[in-house]
Amino acid sequence: MSSDVADWWATEIIDMAPGQIRMRGTPIEELIGNVSFPQMIWLMLRGELPSPEEAGLFEAALVAAVDHGPQAPSIAAARMAVTCGLGLNGAMASAVNMLDDVHGGAGEQAVEFYGWADAGGVEAAIDRWQAERSKYVPGFGHRFHTPDDPRAPRLMALVADAAAAGTVSGRFAKIGLEVQRVLGEQAGKPVPMNIDGATAVIYAELGFAGPLARGLFCLSRSVGILAHAWEQMQQGGRNKGPTPPEYRWTYTGPNPIEE
């Protein structure tokens, strides 16, 4: 093991010297103005630039997940944080910290699940997931959007176009559609793919690991978080809680207050 302090944070991502910055070996001045932000994300994560076609599909997934309104806990948290006096960085940190397994983790879980289905078949993957993890298969069904999440069909259409053009294989798109079919048959009603299932198809098709699907969702949703936090700053308000003050919570303990 090397004892050189320079090896303490060894990295292939960035190199610097006075007056020089190279990202993955490319001078930063060659990247500025020549690559898009999605292309830069890909370069930083993967070490190479995507093709224009790959970048377009990747960008579509990022665009689709930017916001889901103040009823989303992370967005609500950002707005409440602002009314408590936090700046934009604090509001964004508060919100992103809520993007975990339940709220924000379904994309990563869906990539993992698709991997199971790819290796052992859709029905076996569903049975295993429901036995080992949850009765809810990640990426399918939605508590608000019924019968369809409007984002998923559009994304899947773009995947189909990319598969037809040879940009991606289409393997995971087929798996996702088969999962949708099987879940619908089992439930006796449609269980459509949602945004997490569709973006997971794209990330799996493009070769991103499951944990990166969650990180990419955080990047995407940060745009909506920033927008809502900034809007709340313009609207003002102090110490806004999750509901207006005239709405009381339901008390279930002893000696309730009678009104």
Side-chain angles (χ1 to χ4, degrees), residues 222-247:
S222 291
V223 177
I225 291 168
L226 175 60
H228 280 273
W230 179 245
E231 181 181 64
Q232 190 64 55
M233 281 186 170
Q234 311 316 301
Q235 291 177 357
R238 290 172 55 86
N239 293 326
K240 291 184 71 171
T243 58
E246 61 268 22
Y247 285 87

Side-chain angles (χ1 to χ4, degrees), residues 50-131:
S51 70
E53 294 77 17
E54 289 172 327
L57 187 60
F58 181 50
E59 185 174 28
L62 294 171
V63 167
V66 294
D67 190 17
H68 202 237
Q71 86 282 1
S74 56
I75 300 293
R79 299 190 73 121
M80 284 191 286
V82 165
T83 71
C84 293
L86 273 70
L88 289 176
N89 60 318
M92 293 182 72
S94 298
V96 170
N97 279 336
M98 297 183 72
L99 298 176
D100 213 296
D101 284 349
V102 175
H103 175 44
E108 175 182 355
Q109 295 157 10
V111 172
E112 181 184 13
F113 171 74
Y114 290 154
W116 291 6
D118 188 43
V122 166
E123 294 191 20
I126 292 172
D127 291 343
R128 179 184 171 190
W129 190 274
Q130 292 178 332

Side-chain angles (χ1 to χ4, degrees), residues 1-18:
M1 183 175 181
S2 173
S3 60
D4 189 339
V5 70
D7 294 335
W8 188 254
W9 294 119
T11 178
E12 297 180 354
I13 297 171
I14 185 170
D15 193 18
M16 285 197 303

Side-chain angles (χ1 to χ4, degrees), residues 66-223:
V66 294
D67 190 17
H68 202 237
Q71 86 282 1
S74 56
I75 300 293
R79 299 190 73 121
M80 284 191 286
V82 165
T83 71
C84 293
L86 273 70
L88 289 176
N89 60 318
M92 293 182 72
S94 298
V96 170
N97 279 336
M98 297 183 72
L99 298 176
D100 213 296
D101 284 349
V102 175
H103 175 44
E108 175 182 355
Q109 295 157 10
V111 172
E112 181 184 13
F113 171 74
Y114 290 154
W116 291 6
D118 188 43
V122 166
E123 294 191 20
I126 292 172
D127 291 343
R128 179 184 171 190
W129 190 274
Q130 292 178 332
E132 297 181 10
R133 300 290 183 86
S134 168
K135 67 178 181 178
Y136 300 107
V137 175
F140 296 85
H142 202 285
R143 62 185 175 84
F144 182 79
H145 294 296
T146 55
D148 294 310
D149 182 333
R151 299 164 291 186
R154 173 60 178 158
L155 290 175
M156 291 300 287
L158 292 173
V159 176
D161 291 343
T167 304
V168 296
S169 70
R171 185 167 92 253
F172 291 99
K174 290 178 182 177
I175 288 171
L177 293 174
E178 178 66 6
V179 172
Q180 180 174 263
R181 185 191 68 78
V182 172
L183 289 177
E185 286 185 354
Q186 292 179 348
K189 61 180 181 180
V191 183
M193 185 184 295
N194 61 35
I195 178 66
D196 298 306
T199 53
V201 164
I202 290 177
Y203 294 143
E205 290 280 357
L206 293 174
F208 285 95
L212 283 178
R214 185 183 306 211
L216 292 168
F217 175 77
C218 290
L219 278 177
S220 177
R221 185 52 58 88
S222 291
V223 177

